[in-house]
Amino acid sequence: GLRQTHFANPHGLDSGENYSSARDLAALTQAALQNQQFRTVVGTKTITCAGRTLTNHNKLLWRYDGCIGVKTGYTLATGRTLVTAAERDGLTLVAVTLNDRSDWADHTRLLDYGFAHYESVALEGVSGTPLPVVGGVAESVSVSAADGSVVLPKGQTVTRRLVLPRFVYAPVEQGDVLGYAEYYCEGERIAVLPLTADSGVDVRRLSFWERLFG
């Protein structure tokens, strides 16, 4: 999904073919933070390796409560580039500035604004909702959806709607996606979670008399 990015080398130094956008760097950071080794590296303030002490240049690791990284950068062509991530109360925010001489102060203001106006809202999952099964050894199968979360402006109300067929035909395999739980805020759909079968349902074999007179 990085539609405004092209990497011409692995180190990021000046090249006429290297480019990206603030949005793409934020998306890339969001993906990279799913990797625990990456999170450990970018969140490390100092470390001693082979007798040498290395210090992270990201001052916000010391200055900003909840900062977990991520990356400073500078070349003559780009100016000061900074990507910052911070976590508070289950909410992770990413801030990106490009060619910003006041990046430390600007990131502090951006993150403060985000934590003051947004929150992580839990999306209640679905547990054991019955769905009729036609032609199965059981008359129904239960479907469930795991809990989720979404970031919204503070004070918003979330509603949920289950999208399921009236029935399904056997056989049903455990884990089959049979519907969806849709979540709305102010009339806009903000999230979709799959409803999956909690168990399998085999096809019911008809007896001789059922086949004869069915």
Side-chain angles (χ1 to χ4, degrees), residues 17 38 51 54 56-57 65 68 85 89 130 133-134 143 156 162 171 188 192 196 210 213:
E17 299 177 359
F38 178 85
L54 308 177
N56 198 320
H57 288 179
D65 182 30
I68 58 172
D89 300 324
V133 176
V134 174
V143 297
Q156 298 295 307
L162 300 186
E188 180 182 354
V192 178
T196 59
E210 287 176 315
F213 298 107

Side-chain angles (χ1 to χ4, degrees), residues 208-214:
F208 170 78
W209 298 109
E210 287 176 315
R211 293 197 301 271
L212 184 63
F213 298 107

Side-chain angles (χ1 to χ4, degrees), residues 5-174:
T5 297
H6 178 262
F7 297 129
N9 56 47
H11 45 69
L13 297 180
D14 290 341
S15 165
E17 299 177 359
N18 270 342
Y19 59 85
S20 190
S21 66
R23 183 225 169 268
D24 276 12
L25 290 177
L28 180 60
T29 300
Q30 184 182 32
L33 286 174
Q34 306 306 310
N35 182 286
Q36 186 55 52
Q37 185 175 2
F38 178 85
R39 291 174 68 97
T40 299
V41 170
V42 299
T44 298
K45 295 179 179 178
T46 62
I47 191 171
T48 301
C49 300
R52 297 182 60 188
T53 298
L54 308 177
T55 301
N56 198 320
H57 288 179
N58 188 350
K59 297 178 181 179
L60 293 182
L61 287 173
W62 286 266
R63 297 179 181 178
Y64 195 83
D65 182 30
C67 182
I68 58 172
V70 173
K71 185 71 177 72
T72 64
Y74 175 81
T75 72
L76 290 175
T78 64
R80 294 177 63 87
T81 298
L82 182 61
V83 180
T84 302
E87 291 181 337
R88 292 182 188 174
D89 300 324
L91 175 63
T92 302
L93 297 179
V94 175
V96 181
T97 53
L98 306 176
N99 192 23
D100 182 2
R101 295 183 179 181
S102 301
D103 47 10
W104 306 121
D106 288 342
H107 277 240
T108 297
R109 287 191 288 266
L110 285 167
L111 294 171
D112 282 347
Y113 179 90
F115 286 121
H117 292 85
Y118 291 84
E119 62 183 345
S120 179
V121 178
L123 300 179
E124 182 181 0
V126 180
S127 179
T129 296
L131 177 63
V133 176
V134 174
V137 295
E139 294 183 352
S140 66
V141 62
S142 64
V143 297
S144 299
D147 295 337
S149 64
V150 66
V151 176
L152 291 173
K154 289 186 175 180
Q156 298 295 307
T157 300
V158 176
T159 59
R160 184 184 70 192
R161 182 171 77 98
L162 300 186
V163 180
L164 286 167
R166 289 189 300 158
F167 58 85
V168 293
Y169 289 102
V172 176
E173 298 289 338
Q174 182 178 4

